[in-house]
Amino acid sequence: MTAADRTTPPPAPLSRRVSLGLAAAAAALCAYSVLMMYTATHGRQALAVNFPKQIAWVAVGFVLAAAVSAFDYARLANYFPQLYGLNLALLAGLFVFGSDAKGAQRWYDIGPLSLQPSELAKLLVILTVGSYIVHRQCDVDDLGEVAKSFALILPPMALIMLQPDLGTALVLVATWLGMLFAAGLRWQYVLLVVVVLLAVGLLAWQLHILKDYQINRLIVFVNPDVDPSGAGYNLKQSKIAIGSGGVWGKGLLSGTQTNLNFLPERHTDFIFAVLGEELGFVGAGVLLVLYGWLMLSGLRVGSAARDSFGGLVAAGIVTMWLFQVAVNVGMTTGIMPVTGIPLPFISYGGSSMWTHLIATGLLLSIWWHRRPRGVQDVREARPWREGI
Amino acid sequence: MPSLKDDLYGRIGALGILVVVTLGILLSRLWYLQVLDGESYAALAEENRLREVSVESPRGLVLDRDGAVLVGNRPALAVTVPPKTATDPVLVRRLSAALGVSESQIIARLKDKRPDPLKPRRIAEDVDRAAVTTVLERQHLFPGAEVQPLAVRKYPYGRLASHVLGYVGELSDNDKKDADFARYDYGDIVGKTGIEREYEAVLQGTKGTVLIEVDAAGRPLKVVRRSEPAPGRTLMLTIDRRVQEETERQLKGAIRAARRGKYKRARAGAAVVMDVGTGAILAMASYPDYDPGAFLGGIPTPVWKRLNDPKSEYPLFNRAVTGAYPPGSTFKPVTVGAGLATGVIGLNTHQVCNGKWVRMGKQWPKWCWKRSGHGTVGFTEAMAQSCDVYFYEIGLAFYRRDGEEVREEFQSYARKFGFGRPTGVDLAGEVSGRIPDRRWKAEFNKSSPEYAPWLPGDTVNLSIGQGDVLSTPLQVVRMYAAIANGGVLFKPRLVDRILAPSGELQHVSKPERTGRLPVSPAQLGAMQESLVAVTAWGTAKEAFEGFEFTVAGKTGTSQVMGKDDYAFFAGYAPVQEPKYAAIIVIEQGGHGGSAAAPAVRNIFARMLGGTPTDARPEDESR
């Protein structure tokens, strides 16, 4: 049985099959990333290589996205155990084969490539949670069921926190919550979950589960002047960079904060500060508009999905983007604590770029395989096999 | 059992709202940061990237009236190291050994909290070339050490005129409180005393600044803007270095001679030579003196202690303007001047001097310095012989004139002769001296009211320059200059002109009249004659024996409680066409005629081309 047998694919031109808005937004973001990589690495020997590499990541990512978009996403729902197992295996394998950098084990070094499985883990979690909810007919009115769905993401989360990478772990929680919300989790439960998460966070602080640097980041977030040359330094310099950009920015390659190295991590987590400094409020505004366009297109794809799985996956992907953008931009502008979360599509890194492009590919696939016009009921189609 | 709600669409719509709201919040945060606060962040970014480094400017030169350099500059090398060097004791020890500066001094300079914590600190100035070479060639042993060129003061004539010139040093906390130094930085070299202090604004050049762009590590990348330093302006003094040399030699010689005689405690003194027609000061000396060059690169503590030890007689103290002495008989021209001007005496007034004077009552006897008495003396004899009784009478008459209605005529005349207020000389630290009056005495004795009332004896003491009257040598010599020039009190001047660093003339100071002696030309003529009598046949006869030029002057021997007498001579020459007035004061030097007058003669001899004297006449006069 093929996908074509189940639903009648619209024998339409490419323009009907591809969500052009979504694809254009993603492509524009990638172009923006290449531009920012050019300016952020310009004149810096140590970083120069990252510019062509980022171009390569984007190019490969486009191929991956195209491939994924042509593939019927719905079949993925049938591979729940495989996907879940793959995720855990990749994350656990880090502790054996991963390479050490800055005191964290986050990468697999394969030739010239450094792959970061925690990035891919975000997608795998979206797929497995979506599959779980739909397949197990998870009743989101039942708190026990909700807890079970959370238990599902705990093992990958724990492995990621052990790397340690608190930021990505938080992305998983946010994504999970977004998907459950889309699945109909009651508002009061949403509130409850948020309160519980905050309580757990506080408890972690009290029990010193958080590492010193994580606590420092929180203290510095509350009062950046506590240690202006240490933990507060990044935050302070980032705010100066963005603020000094003004309305129009200092121009590409002309950011003094960037070029004189006041900005730390400028091609990765703090790339938004480079953008804010050199392109100003206008450039930053354009970026946020592109994100808005991307996310709203993603949600439109979700609402056109032919099945619940597609809708949930779309909701998960958009939640992931929204959380990452909010936390990263919030961090660089000083309204969120410093958390090592990259800016989707923009920050340097192959794993991150591919993850977001594959996510885009998934959305394109959902769109491609959307339900025919006029079909209102999501439930009529049962794209997954009975009983995994 | 519909597990997935039908409202998936609704929930996706809600997520859409969340997306819009979240991005809206971020956008408004950016608006606040970049648009509303953009300018202040732009300023912070500039502050981050720019460092201002100042470039020292050489101080202006100080020349004598002929253009000879009294204070110049010479290039020197300073060694600087970053403040963090203080944490490396091995390095500090190595620097100390190489530069010859004590470890504690290096540490003190490095740990000084006042200067910019990022700036390298100077730990040694005026380092000799061998040491500099060592430091430069062995950079690995002296990490961070840098050599900085400096211009330091040079004194070609050594100690000559050290009190006039003053010395320079690093800006201190005390200086910083002064409004003059409000815009200075710690580490700046500033004038501390004398001309260096008085003319700080002229001598201090304008520092150059270099605005440098630095990276986050503080590495300089490029020069953004540069303004060249402008050297300070040049001062041309009224001082004549030859007269100054002679004056200092005579002062020192007179002190030595007094000590060789009966006055073992004679160790200090002052002298001033003034142009009577302009108030220009040709020489100003104070003894003991000091070496201004010792202050370069911070004065070593033991030297500083010695300079401030009472046993050293305060060598830093310029006695010519900050020494307040009872002027003794050199004050007598004021008494006769006031007496003549008010009619208390006439040119024909005579008094009988029996040595003892009891006109204030038998229980309050006063004595003339000549216990045997001068007999009947007229105006000229009284001045020539310095007969105290004659002046007691004038003092008593003034006391009586004051009467119930307090006029204090004598005091106001004394002020018109230039006493009791600063002369206005362009030199830091000048004191007023004191003309005692009723108000002063009441205030002074506030805590012991029995001494507060003004008594006849107070006015009588004042009439011979004793008691509570205090004056500076400069005030006294200025009065003699005024007697010489027909009665004009000039403001004493030390700076004649100011030149641009290029040598271009910028300012010429003009003689400034600050008052007139309150006597008629005839009265002044009589006073002049009586002063000539002093050197012709009076108390200074022996000192001026055989001198080719006629000198008018007055000896003074003032009594200071618990000390030997202070010797004074003040006068002017040549009388026919007065040019110069001079004064010498020898603390605890004995009598004016023997200790001070010969030195003044020798100064005039040098200036006018007359014969000096070796005589140190025995003299019991005051």
Side-chain angles (χ1 to χ4, degrees):
Chain A
M1 191 162 90
T2 66
D5 296 330
R6 284 199 308 270
T7 57
T8 315
L14 195 65
S15 60
R16 289 286 318 275
R17 281 185 257 163
V18 177
S19 167
L20 285 175
L22 181 73
L29 285 167
C30 289
Y32 218 154
S33 172
V34 169
L35 184 70
M36 291 323 295
M37 212 47 59
Y38 170 66
T39 184
T41 61
H42 183 80
R44 286 282 289 165
Q45 211 98 52
L47 299 180
V49 68
N50 293 329
F51 172 56
K53 274 169 111 179
Q54 184 82 343
I55 295 178
W57 305 148
V58 170
V60 174
F62 278 178
V63 173
L64 291 174
V68 170
S69 67
F71 179 85
D72 187 352
Y73 71 95
R75 291 165 72 177
L76 291 170
N78 296 329
Y79 296 99
F80 172 83
Q82 291 89 337
L83 294 174
Y84 196 72
L86 174 70
N87 198 5
L88 291 184
L90 283 173
L91 290 171
L94 273 179
F95 297 97
V96 185
F97 306 108
S99 61
D100 225 319
K102 288 190 194 171
Q105 287 191 307
R106 293 181 183 174
W107 291 272
Y108 285 117
D109 277 337
I110 307 163
L113 290 177
S114 286
L115 291 177
Q116 204 175 344
S118 59
E119 284 294 327
L120 189 61
K122 293 186 283 194
L123 280 185
L124 293 174
V125 161
I126 289 170
L127 291 174
T128 46
V129 168
S131 169
Y132 178 83
I133 293 173
V134 174
H135 190 76
R136 300 290 298 273
Q137 307 262 311
C138 173
D139 182 1
V140 291
D141 286 342
D142 180 343
L143 271 182
E145 297 263 325
V146 171
K148 272 189 212 162
S149 73
F150 188 74
L152 187 67
I153 69 163
L154 266 177
M157 245 182 83
L159 287 171
I160 288 171
M161 281 180 85
L162 281 173
Q163 292 182 2
D165 183 356
L166 181 66
T168 305
L170 290 175
V171 175
L172 294 190
V173 177
T175 307
W176 166 80
L177 184 58
M179 291 176 78
L180 257 76
F181 174 73
L185 189 66
R186 285 186 196 170
W187 289 96
Q188 50 269 53
Y189 288 175
V190 173
L191 202 69
L192 181 70
V193 168
V194 169
V195 169
V196 167
L197 287 175
L198 283 178
V200 169
L202 273 177
L203 199 68
W205 180 318
Q206 288 297 319
L207 297 177
H208 302 286
I209 291 170
L210 289 174
K211 305 225 177 266
D212 279 351
Y213 78 91
Q214 291 165 336
I215 291 175
N216 274 350
R217 284 169 168 181
L218 283 172
I219 293 172
V220 160
F221 168 62
V222 177
N223 182 3
D225 291 327
V226 168
D227 181 10
S229 59
Y233 180 83
N234 294 3
L235 178 53
K236 188 178 156 188
Q237 296 301 343
S238 165
K239 276 167 75 178
I240 291 176
I242 294 170
S244 66
V247 177
W248 297 101
K250 298 175 189 172
L252 281 179
L253 304 181
S254 306
T256 57
Q257 291 283 103
T258 306
N259 285 313
L260 302 175
N261 297 331
F262 289 99
L263 270 182
E265 313 279 341
R266 65 198 206 202
H267 64 299
T268 56
D269 291 354
F270 280 90
I271 190 135
F272 184 76
V274 176
L275 192 152
E277 177 176 33
E278 299 195 341
L279 300 177
F281 179 72
V282 172
V286 166
L287 181 76
L288 293 186
V289 167
L290 282 178
Y291 277 131
W293 181 12
L294 176 83
M295 292 179 209
L296 295 179
S297 303
L299 291 174
R300 177 161 168 257
V301 165
S303 60
R306 73 163 184 261
D307 51 30
S308 307
F309 180 64
L312 290 177
V313 167
I317 289 171
V318 170
T319 311
M320 168 181 77
W321 283 338
L322 182 63
F323 184 75
Q324 288 198 224
V325 168
V327 171
N328 184 284
V329 173
M331 159 184 89
T332 52
T333 54
I335 51 173
M336 289 274 203
V338 175
T339 327
I341 293 182
L343 194 56
F345 293 98
I346 305 290
S347 287
Y348 173 79
S351 306
S352 167
M353 185 58 84
W354 291 349
T355 299
H356 296 296
L357 282 173
I358 290 171
T360 313
L362 276 174
L363 288 174
L364 289 174
S365 168
I366 295 168
W367 180 257
W368 190 326
H369 303 97
R370 67 188 181 274
R371 67 178 177 275
R373 250 196 275 200
V375 178
Q376 292 297 327
D377 193 349
V378 186
R379 285 170 296 176
E380 112 288 353
R382 302 277 300 208
W384 54 84
R385 286 185 304 185
E386 292 297 337
I388 303 172
Chain B
M1 184 212 59
S3 64
L4 266 185
K5 296 281 169 66
D6 290 334
D7 62 353
L8 179 62
Y9 309 118
R11 287 304 176 97
I12 285 178
L15 276 179
I17 292 169
L18 184 65
V19 165
V20 171
V21 168
T22 307
L23 294 178
I25 290 172
L26 294 178
L27 204 61
S28 45
R29 171 64 177 164
L30 287 168
W31 174 263
Y32 172 76
L33 215 56
Q34 300 191 286
V35 180
L36 300 184
D37 252 8
E39 273 176 33
S40 65
Y41 281 106
L44 285 173
E46 287 296 277
E47 214 173 274
N48 257 347
R49 103 186 155 96
L50 299 175
R51 294 264 181 290
E52 204 177 74
V53 177
S54 57
V55 184
E56 304 290 329
S57 57
R59 282 178 80 80
L61 307 179
V62 182
L63 313 178
D64 88 340
R65 63 164 47 219
D66 299 324
V69 177
L70 300 179
V71 187
N73 295 311
R74 63 183 168 79
L77 297 172
V79 173
T80 65
V81 293
K84 67 169 195 286
T85 308
T87 58
D88 184 345
V90 178
L91 181 53
V92 170
R93 195 167 316 133
R94 207 178 286 146
L95 285 164
S96 165
L99 301 172
V101 183
S102 74
E103 284 179 44
S104 58
Q105 195 180 333
I106 293 177
I107 297 276
R109 290 207 181 188
L110 292 175
K111 293 206 165 153
D112 191 347
K113 292 267 182 290
R114 298 168 306 175
D116 187 338
L118 297 171
K119 274 191 186 167
R121 302 295 167 81
R122 249 185 244 157
I123 53 166
E125 281 101 354
D126 204 8
V127 181
D128 70 61
R129 289 194 183 262
V132 166
T133 314
T134 308
V135 170
L136 285 183
E137 281 180 351
R138 304 193 191 148
Q139 275 290 341
H140 59 289
L141 289 179
F142 302 100
E146 276 178 34
V147 173
Q148 188 185 47
L150 271 186
V152 301
R153 283 313 216 185
K154 174 175 81 169
Y155 302 92
Y157 294 91
R159 293 164 172 251
L160 186 78
S162 53
H163 293 99
V164 171
L165 303 174
Y167 59 90
V168 295
E170 259 184 46
L171 187 76
S172 69
D173 281 331
N174 253 341
D175 294 334
K176 194 82 175 123
K177 288 178 204 148
D178 195 318
D180 291 3
F181 294 116
R183 303 182 52 155
Y184 283 60
D185 299 320
Y186 286 112
D188 284 355
I189 300 297
V190 300
K192 296 284 188 176
T193 61
I195 289 291
E196 294 270 24
R197 172 71 186 85
E198 181 78 18
Y199 286 90
E200 168 64 26
V202 175
L203 292 169
Q204 183 70 253
T206 310
K207 270 191 271 187
T209 53
V210 183
L211 202 60
I212 300 177
E213 185 175 271
V214 296
D215 66 8
R219 272 185 300 258
L221 299 179
K222 66 175 187 214
V223 172
V224 178
R225 200 168 60 230
R226 168 192 287 277
S227 68
E228 294 303 328
R233 288 176 284 170
T234 299
L235 292 178
M236 205 167 204
L237 301 186
T238 57
I239 295 285
D240 180 320
R241 71 182 182 287
R242 285 169 296 251
V243 178
Q244 179 75 26
E245 271 162 359
E246 184 64 19
T247 305
E248 290 186 12
R249 186 181 316 129
Q250 290 303 330
L251 174 63
K252 206 163 150 184
I255 294 169
R256 281 217 191 105
R259 206 159 54 220
R260 271 202 304 274
K262 295 196 319 202
Y263 296 93
K264 305 298 179 202
R265 294 201 272 177
R267 299 201 309 159
V272 180
V273 179
M274 185 184 265
D275 182 328
V276 301
T278 64
I281 293 170
L282 298 168
M284 179 182 278
S286 181
Y287 190 86
D289 57 10
Y290 66 94
D291 175 12
F295 290 84
L296 297 179
I299 191 154
T301 315
V303 179
W304 180 251
K305 274 199 179 131
R306 195 159 64 238
L307 288 173
N308 287 284
D309 185 351
K311 284 188 204 134
S312 314
E313 296 285 348
Y314 304 105
L316 295 178
F317 198 58
N318 182 1
R319 293 173 155 76
V321 293
T322 55
Y325 304 100
S329 299
T330 56
F331 191 71
K332 284 175 178 169
V334 178
T335 312
V336 292
L340 291 171
T342 52
V344 165
I345 56 166
L347 290 173
N348 298 318
T349 303
H350 284 69
Q351 301 287 350
V352 178
C353 167
N354 298 321
K356 189 177 180 182
W357 185 73
V358 291
R359 297 252 290 141
M360 292 191 294
K362 287 229 175 356
Q363 69 276 39
W364 314 108
K366 286 199 79 81
W367 297 87
C368 185
W369 65 266
K370 195 174 177 185
R371 296 290 171 116
S372 57
H374 287 102
T376 301
V377 292
F379 170 82
T380 309
E381 291 95 323
M383 284 291 271
Q385 300 298 347
S386 204
C387 172
D388 289 334
V389 167
Y390 195 88
F391 296 91
Y392 292 154
E393 286 290 344
I394 301 173
L396 186 62
F398 271 114
Y399 177 79
R400 294 197 172 135
R401 282 164 68 91
D402 282 352
E404 287 307 307
E405 163 206 6
V406 175
R407 291 154 75 184
E408 300 201 319
E409 271 177 306
F410 189 19
Q411 282 90 336
S412 69
Y413 273 96
R415 291 188 187 102
K416 284 179 191 160
F417 276 79
F419 291 91
R421 58 189 159 88
T423 62
V425 66
D426 44 352
L427 202 53
E430 190 193 15
V431 299
S432 304
R434 178 202 301 148
I435 293 298
D437 57 16
R438 285 165 176 79
R439 197 205 302 188
W440 168 81
K441 196 177 181 194
E443 179 72 19
F444 191 75
N445 292 306
K446 212 159 52 181
S447 52
S448 37
E450 65 274 28
Y451 297 116
W454 187 262
L455 300 173
D458 289 321
T459 315
V460 167
N461 275 340
L462 180 57
S463 71
I464 60 161
Q466 286 289 162
D468 295 314
V469 58
L470 293 174
S471 64
T472 64
L474 186 63
Q475 287 172 330
V476 177
V477 76
R478 179 167 74 141
M479 173 181 72
Y480 282 86
I483 293 170
N485 68 25
V488 181
L489 283 168
F490 284 103
K491 182 163 125 181
R493 287 178 306 131
L494 275 163
V495 168
D496 190 48
R497 45 194 69 191
I498 298 174
L499 312 176
S502 60
E504 189 193 335
L505 187 62
Q506 284 194 337
H507 171 82
V508 180
S509 76
K510 295 196 181 60
E512 200 178 311
R513 295 159 185 246
T514 57
R516 269 201 84 83
L517 299 187
V519 288
S520 71
Q523 290 161 343
L524 190 66
M527 285 165 66
Q528 289 167 344
E529 267 173 47
S530 70
L531 293 174
V532 173
V534 171
T535 63
W537 46 269
T539 51
K541 172 171 170 276
E542 282 169 79
F544 289 92
E545 197 94 71
F547 195 47
E548 293 85 340
F549 299 90
T550 314
V551 177
K554 184 78 196 74
T555 57
T557 306
S558 74
Q559 293 162 319
V560 177
M561 187 91 80
K563 306 224 169 162
D564 288 342
D565 290 346
Y566 283 27
F568 284 74
F569 185 86
Y572 59 89
V575 166
Q576 291 73 15
E577 195 191 331
K579 281 190 180 144
Y580 311 116
I583 182 168
I584 282 201
V585 182
I586 315 286
E587 290 181 17
Q588 312 201 67
H591 295 277
S594 51
V600 172
R601 166 181 173 160
N602 292 346
I603 292 168
F604 284 150
R606 174 69 186 263
M607 295 177 76
L608 301 168
T611 326
T613 176
D614 295 330
R616 299 290 163 187
E618 285 297 313
D619 162 35
E620 294 305 315
S621 71
R622 293 238 176 92

